[in-house]
Amino acid sequence: MNTLRMALADSMTITKRNALKIKRAPDMLGGVVLLPIVLVLLFAYVFGSMIELPGMSYTEYLLPGIFVMTITTSAQITGYALTLDLQKGIFDRFRTLPMSPSAVLTGQTFSDLITNVTSIVTMALVGLLVGWRIHTSPLEAALGFLGLLLFAYAFSWVTATVALALRTPEVFNGVATIVSLPLIFLSNAFVDSAPARATEGDRRMEPDLHAPPGHARAVRQHQPGHARARRLAAAARGASVDTVVARAPGRVRAAGHAAVQESRQSVNPREAGE
Amino acid sequence: MSDAIVAEGLVKKYGDVVALDGMDLSVPEGTVFGLLGPNGAGKTTTVRILTTLLKPDAGHATVAGFDVVRDARRLRSHIGASGQYAAVDDHLTGAENLETVGRLYHLGVKRARQRARELLERFDLTEAGDRPVQGYSGGMRRRLDLAGALVVSPPVLFLDEPTTGLDPRARASLWEVISELVATGTTVLLTTQYMEEADRLADRIGVVDHGHVIALGTADELKDQVGGDRIELSVTSAADLEAVRRTLAPLAVGELQIDVTALQVTIPVTGGAAALTTALGHLTAERITVRDAGLRRPTLDDVFLTFTGHETDEKIRETVR
């Protein structure tokens, strides 16, 4: 078997193993379903009624931000699951097998796509209940959600990198919270975090000075991608993530960097250079 | 007969801590080698290097003819490893755990499934095979972990403390499984803290301390050097200790140990139960009251005392505490 085919086959084996784990212990999935429900309801009703925006409801402004925030949290499952396997010696067992070494990581991130899709679907449904609406064509909406899923996948690799550097579930959980919490508030998920740039009332809703005009702007505002772009910019500013990544072992570091870099560029090429 | 495992001058350091300090090993094909030593002696580090999990800082090793560093990838198809902690997935069933391993050895779906069933039957896990591992006992987990190491019937097998933490019954049943395995001609490197385990399973034993082998031989050879059985006596007052020493010194092979605080005397003897009877007879004749008396096999601590002149670090710590 050639290397690539072996890597794919092994990744699928690990994915299947993890999918079985989700099936047997749906409580882990329970968190992924409940958290979005709680967050969407909490923010939509607590802040949604207090903050007013010109031209649109705050709920509709907020929802994409909640989407990204929740997906950031659920992508941390990747790192957490890896630290659990590390601690139990399951990695050692795998590493003595003639398998592709990368399959443990790719398999884990693949199976976490299942949890991420679950999260996204739940959030969209609850969002629709509280008044969030899709204002674009189904194709554009689908692309928006696909972008969100890609971000989740990329962030899975970031948490995997951090997990491999930190090694124990307890430490990982602590660090993940410390790092992700400021990132969430630095982003414009809740409020526009770059008001200094906005000179006109109209601009207040448009944090990116280079943003395309007209209907594209509308797409960004009503699709999950909007907040995502800002989130990634915030991630770039949050040097802590990069510092941790820099200390991780070579191969994984490269993978983590590539994932972050790629998603930054694909989402918003201009902001990657910030 | 050629050697299935050869290690020469392995060195491994973790920061300032020297885990391996010139470890030499050679295990002929089809034999069982027991690496006997306390926690921290370097047993696990040795196994981790030989199973390609760690790279040595110096020295080199070959397993089944493959260099553990240069040919690591190819070597992995020829070894099986079972660790100190059962590396099995709680949420998966026994069968699923084994199937996953089989798939990762690239057996193919059908063969992996078939092999999982064979192994479950062999390890007496057929009934539990379709239940999640969560509900397994410690002994069942270890058996499953060991089965995982045997998925491709590897010619060389590494068992790192396979029975540590098990109750005596589970231990006995695991020993039986390992003995059967050995009879099929597999080369086994076994690490253990228990003299009894090494005695029962290993053809040759290497005693490890501070990262290298300090004594090597068959169980009998080592035990002869350690002095065979021990009589352990407790007396009621410290005043009797000296009398016991005087009375029993002629029976001892090697030095008597006297523990003044525990009021205990340990006498290395040959001749087993007969020696105990003789000793008690002498003590009765001298009118020394014995609170407790017994015969025991040499323990790891005895082996250590003999070969290193000090007790295992653990024992020393216990004593200090």
Side-chain angles (χ1 to χ4, degrees):
Chain A
M1 212 183 312
N2 67 44
T3 317
L4 189 66
R5 263 188 60 203
M6 185 173 97
L8 272 176
D10 291 347
S11 301
M12 288 330 288
T13 306
I14 300 288
T15 307
K16 199 183 149 207
R17 157 195 180 252
N18 293 339
L20 277 171
K21 274 164 72 173
I22 297 172
K23 197 175 129 199
R24 293 286 150 64
D27 43 323
M28 193 125 152
L29 210 53
V32 178
V33 172
L34 289 178
L35 183 75
I37 297 176
V38 170
L39 288 181
V40 169
L41 293 180
L42 193 72
F43 284 106
Y45 288 114
V46 175
F47 292 108
S49 55
M50 289 173 70
I51 298 172
E52 281 185 27
L53 291 175
M56 70 185 295
S57 84
Y58 182 61
T59 306
E60 289 215 282
Y61 173 79
L62 184 67
L63 254 289
I66 301 291
F67 284 1
V68 178
M69 181 176 131
T70 310
I71 218 76
T72 315
T73 312
S74 85
Q76 287 169 16
I77 289 176
T78 306
Y80 185 66
L82 288 176
T83 54
L84 284 182
D85 280 350
L86 263 175
Q87 202 176 43
K88 286 181 66 187
I90 290 176
F91 268 26
D92 284 350
R93 152 62 44 89
F94 285 156
R95 284 176 58 213
T96 62
L97 300 179
M99 65 181 287
S100 157
S102 62
V104 179
L105 299 178
T106 42
Q108 182 68 47
T109 54
F110 282 168
S111 61
D112 288 333
L113 280 175
I114 302 172
T115 51
N116 289 331
V117 168
T118 313
S119 270
I120 291 174
V121 170
T122 313
M123 283 187 295
L125 291 177
V126 180
L128 287 171
L129 277 179
V130 300
W132 167 78
R133 290 292 176 268
I134 293 171
H135 299 272
T136 56
S137 74
L139 177 70
E140 283 170 305
L143 284 176
F145 281 115
L146 188 68
L148 185 59
L149 197 60
L150 278 176
F151 168 66
Y153 187 70
F155 204 74
S156 273
W157 280 97
V158 175
T159 67
T161 309
V162 175
L164 291 180
L166 298 176
R167 304 198 86 79
T168 61
E170 292 80 10
V171 180
F172 174 80
N173 263 355
V175 171
T177 310
I178 292 167
V179 173
S180 64
L181 213 60
L183 285 184
I184 286 165
F185 287 100
L186 274 173
S187 78
N188 65 343
F190 304 115
V191 287
D192 190 343
S193 56
R197 288 193 195 165
T199 47
E200 300 157 37
D202 181 39
R203 279 259 169 106
R204 226 180 108 49
M205 279 312 300
E206 185 45 80
D208 189 347
L209 293 172
H210 311 287
H215 81 277
R217 188 170 69 187
V219 174
R220 294 192 74 222
Q221 283 180 7
H222 297 290
Q223 293 305 314
H226 171 56
R228 184 183 71 234
R230 296 300 305 171
R231 164 61 50 82
L232 285 164
R237 277 185 233 125
S240 38
V241 170
D242 277 335
T243 316
V244 178
V245 169
R247 269 192 277 125
R251 194 183 305 181
V252 181
R253 182 176 64 211
H257 267 315
V260 172
Q261 209 62 41
E262 209 166 282
S263 55
R264 267 183 208 145
Q265 282 167 2
S266 68
V267 168
N268 194 337
R270 287 182 207 90
E271 292 206 350
E274 262 185 16
Chain B
M1 199 162 28
S2 62
D3 287 336
I5 304 171
V6 182
E8 279 165 7
L10 292 181
V11 175
K12 183 73 195 175
K13 289 180 190 144
Y14 297 106
D16 289 339
V17 182
V18 182
L20 286 188
D21 186 15
M23 172 69 79
D24 297 310
L25 277 183
S26 65
V27 183
E29 244 170 60
T31 67
V32 181
F33 188 86
L35 219 43
L36 179 69
N39 282 332
K43 303 188 302 285
T44 299
T45 307
T46 307
V47 170
R48 289 177 71 86
I49 288 174
L50 294 176
T51 53
T52 76
L53 290 177
L54 268 183
K55 280 186 184 138
D57 295 332
H60 57 92
T62 58
V63 174
F66 298 100
D67 187 287
V68 296
V69 178
R70 265 179 297 128
D71 306 323
R73 267 196 115 119
R74 275 189 296 157
L75 169 60
R76 291 187 192 125
S77 313
H78 297 83
I79 54 170
S82 176
Q84 264 180 69
Y85 312 100
V88 287
D89 242 311
D90 273 352
H91 298 305
L92 268 55
T93 65
E96 285 162 354
N97 264 293
L98 293 180
E99 267 177 58
T100 304
V101 174
R103 295 287 301 276
L104 295 173
Y105 269 115
H106 308 122
L107 289 185
V109 185
K110 224 170 145 188
R111 181 73 193 116
R113 191 164 300 159
Q114 196 185 347
R115 184 64 184 149
R117 291 292 156 195
E118 284 168 25
L119 286 166
L120 288 172
E121 202 184 318
R122 176 163 169 199
F123 286 85
D124 208 11
L125 292 167
T126 310
E127 258 173 66
D130 291 319
R131 287 206 311 264
V133 171
Q134 227 156 17
Y136 283 25
S137 69
M140 287 160 81
R141 279 161 185 266
R142 290 295 180 88
R143 289 211 300 273
L144 184 64
D145 189 59
L146 182 57
L150 296 173
V151 166
V152 289
S153 313
V156 184
L157 192 62
F158 294 90
L159 304 176
D160 189 16
E161 302 198 13
T163 67
T164 298
L166 290 185
D167 63 56
R169 233 183 86 194
R171 174 171 298 160
S173 106
L174 206 63
W175 282 352
E176 216 163 288
V177 170
I178 297 172
S179 307
E180 279 169 30
L181 200 71
V182 167
T184 63
T186 311
T187 307
V188 180
L189 182 89
L190 167 94
T191 76
T192 181
Q193 302 191 41
Y194 311 110
M195 181 74 188
E196 198 191 348
E197 186 163 286
D199 191 0
R200 164 97 194 252
L201 298 171
D203 298 312
R204 279 199 320 146
I205 298 170
V207 180
V208 202
D209 189 31
H210 298 302
H212 60 267
V213 174
I214 53 169
L216 192 69
T218 65
D220 285 340
E221 286 166 6
L222 286 178
K223 262 186 281 182
D224 282 351
Q225 292 179 60
V226 176
D229 297 330
R230 267 123 177 92
I231 292 175
E232 241 170 25
L233 292 171
S234 300
V235 293
T236 45
S237 86
D240 288 340
L241 287 171
E242 189 42 44
V244 172
R245 179 213 284 279
R246 210 172 19 193
T247 315
L248 298 183
L251 280 178
V253 287
E255 236 172 285
L256 279 87
Q257 287 162 251
I258 296 181
D259 186 334
V260 182
T261 46
L263 300 179
Q264 207 171 51
V265 186
T266 306
I267 309 122
V269 292
T270 51
L276 181 61
T277 317
T278 314
L280 291 177
H282 286 330
L283 293 175
T284 313
E286 295 287 323
R287 293 173 191 281
I288 299 168
T289 319
V290 176
R291 194 158 55 91
D292 192 18
L295 189 70
R296 65 167 174 83
R297 314 284 298 148
T299 63
L300 181 57
D301 285 320
D302 298 320
V303 175
F304 257 76
L305 205 57
T306 309
F307 289 111
T308 64
H310 67 85
E311 293 182 309
T312 60
D313 291 344
E314 235 165 305
K315 182 76 184 220
I316 291 169
R317 273 198 296 277
E318 267 166 36
T319 314
V320 171
R321 224 182 286 136

